[in-house]
């Protein structure tokens, strides 16, 4: 056996060992592959900054594991193939797992009854939720601009209409609303009116009838001397509230406008 053949066998053995131990795929540089999974705006999987293309069915399984974490196969077949018989759904899952392991070795941890993503997979959804938790616990800490930039683009899988995706979209939307409110409220208290205005507007883009955001927007406009803009924001909210819900603005919002007149 030549030295080149021995080296090739050794490389293959190291490759398989790395996957088995969930260490990632060895690279020429001596490090390990790191996967980046993006679920915002459009689905994208990268390995060492190179885009990896997988079919829609595989995308759905990878996404389910990214959102829900390690799950039994029985959970996954019920989630992804609810209309199929159990045997057919299990076969679909088996094929899907096989294709992922073949196309993207090291991405999945195929541990018997339970499937999960490798610890080497960085998911943007997890990063955003960690930042939202940090914001709620520690406040802005001078990071208002970075929080705003991160949260603005965190739209989860637009165009996906599976029930389990829709519920996760709604959950993240509420988390983002709450985060924008924290940013606006703290920025207002710190007299950073521009950031308070941006955060309030970002919240209203998600939910135009979010009364707290309307109130913060009115206060930010007034603090900058923009009384006309504050009144315009109130009137826009009042019209939409009447059209969509058939009710009038609360007394608290009315007082904000009355106090500025």
């Amino acid at each position: 056996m030549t030295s080149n053949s021995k080296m090739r066998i050794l490389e293959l053995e190291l490759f398989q060992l790395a996957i088995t131990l969930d260490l990632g795929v060895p690279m020429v540089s001596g490090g390990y592959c790191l996967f980046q999974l993006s679920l915002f705006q459009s689905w994208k999987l990268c390995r060492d900054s190179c885009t990896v293309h997988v079919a829609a069915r595989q995308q759905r399984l990878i996404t389910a594991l990214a959102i829900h974490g390690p799950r039994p196969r029985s959970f996954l077949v019920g989630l992804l193939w609810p209309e199929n018989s159990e045997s057919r759904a299990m076969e679909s899952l088996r094929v899907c797992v096989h294709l992922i392991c073949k196309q993207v070795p090291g991405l999945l941890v195929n541990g018997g009854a339970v499937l999960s993503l490798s610890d080497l997979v960085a998911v943007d959804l997890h990063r955003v939720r960690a930042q939202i938790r940090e914001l709620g616990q520690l406040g802005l800490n001078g990071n208002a601009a970075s929080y705003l930039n991160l949260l603005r683009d965190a739209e989860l899988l637009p165009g996906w209409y599976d029930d389990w995706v829709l519920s996760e979209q709604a959950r993240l939307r509420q988390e983002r609303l709450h985060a924008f409110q924290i940013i606006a409220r703290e920025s207002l208290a710190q007299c950073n009116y521009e950031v308070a205005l941006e955060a309030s507007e970002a919240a209203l883009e998600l939910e135009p009838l979010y009364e707290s955001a309307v109130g913060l927007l009115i206060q930010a406009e007034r603090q900058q001397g923009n009384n006309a803009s504050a009144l315009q924001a109130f009137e826009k909210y009042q019209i939409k509230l009447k059209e969509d819900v058939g009710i009038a603005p609360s007394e608290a919002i009315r007082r904000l406008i009355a106090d500025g007149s």
Side-chain angles (χ1 to χ4, degrees):
M1 183 180 296
T2 66
S3 58
N4 286 340
S5 297
K6 291 180 180 178
M7 181 63 68
R8 179 58 181 160
I9 291 172
L10 179 59
E11 288 175 353
L12 289 172
E13 288 176 347
L14 288 173
F15 181 90
Q16 293 297 332
L17 178 62
I19 294 174
T20 301
L21 297 178
D22 191 23
L23 297 175
V25 181
M27 296 188 298
V28 175
S29 62
Y32 293 96
C33 287
L34 180 64
F35 300 98
Q36 297 88 33
L37 176 61
S38 174
L39 303 180
F40 295 147
Q41 306 305 323
S42 61
W43 197 97
K44 185 177 182 181
L45 176 65
C46 292
R47 178 175 56 199
D48 297 334
S49 301
C50 296
T51 301
V52 180
H53 298 284
V54 297
R57 184 167 62 171
Q58 285 82 271
Q59 288 182 15
R60 291 172 73 245
L61 174 57
I62 294 167
T63 301
L65 293 172
I67 289 176
H68 294 287
R71 283 293 186 271
R73 291 172 183 264
S74 56
F75 172 89
L76 293 167
V77 296
L79 185 74
L80 298 175
W81 295 279
E83 71 285 355
N84 291 352
S85 66
E86 183 178 356
S87 60
R88 185 174 178 183
M90 278 292 186
E91 177 61 17
S92 295
L93 178 62
R94 187 193 67 77
V95 171
C96 198
V97 169
H98 171 75
L99 290 172
I100 292 172
C101 291
K102 182 180 179 180
Q103 295 171 340
V104 200
L107 183 75
L108 293 185
V109 177
N110 187 4
V114 175
L115 290 174
S116 66
L117 294 183
S118 166
D119 290 340
L120 295 169
V121 183
V123 184
D124 54 3
L125 174 63
H126 299 170
R127 182 175 69 254
V128 164
R129 284 197 160 134
Q131 290 291 299
I132 290 174
R133 287 194 296 271
E134 181 181 281
L135 174 63
Q137 294 167 359
L138 304 177
L140 289 176
N141 278 336
N143 296 319
S146 61
Y147 280 127
L148 274 176
N149 290 334
L150 185 71
L151 291 166
R152 271 200 195 100
D153 296 329
E155 185 179 359
L156 181 65
L157 296 171
W160 287 43
Y161 300 109
D162 304 76
D163 288 343
W164 56 276
V165 176
L166 292 174
S167 64
E168 202 64 27
Q169 290 170 345
R171 178 186 166 200
L172 181 62
R173 185 161 48 249
Q174 290 302 313
E175 292 169 344
R176 291 168 68 202
L177 278 171
H178 179 62
F180 284 133
Q181 183 178 359
I182 292 174
I183 296 170
R185 187 175 62 244
E186 289 199 15
S187 297
L188 200 60
Q190 296 168 10
C191 301
N192 192 344
Y193 304 126
E194 282 292 336
V195 170
L197 191 62
E198 287 183 46
S200 301
E201 289 174 338
L204 291 171
E205 286 178 8
L206 291 178
E207 178 47 74
L209 298 182
Y210 193 32
E211 182 177 295
S212 296
V214 175
L216 291 165
L217 176 63
I218 290 171
Q219 292 178 68
E221 292 284 21
R222 285 186 54 207
Q223 290 294 338
Q224 295 183 99
N226 300 329
N227 290 329
S229 296
L231 181 58
Q232 186 179 36
F234 170 78
E235 290 175 344
K236 181 179 177 181
Y237 169 67
Q238 180 176 235
I239 292 170
K240 186 155 186 65
L241 191 64
K242 181 67 173 177
E243 289 178 345
D244 291 5
V245 189
I247 62 175
S250 70
E251 185 61 32
I253 291 289
R254 290 180 177 278
R255 277 200 301 270
L256 284 178
I257 290 298
D259 291 344
S261 59

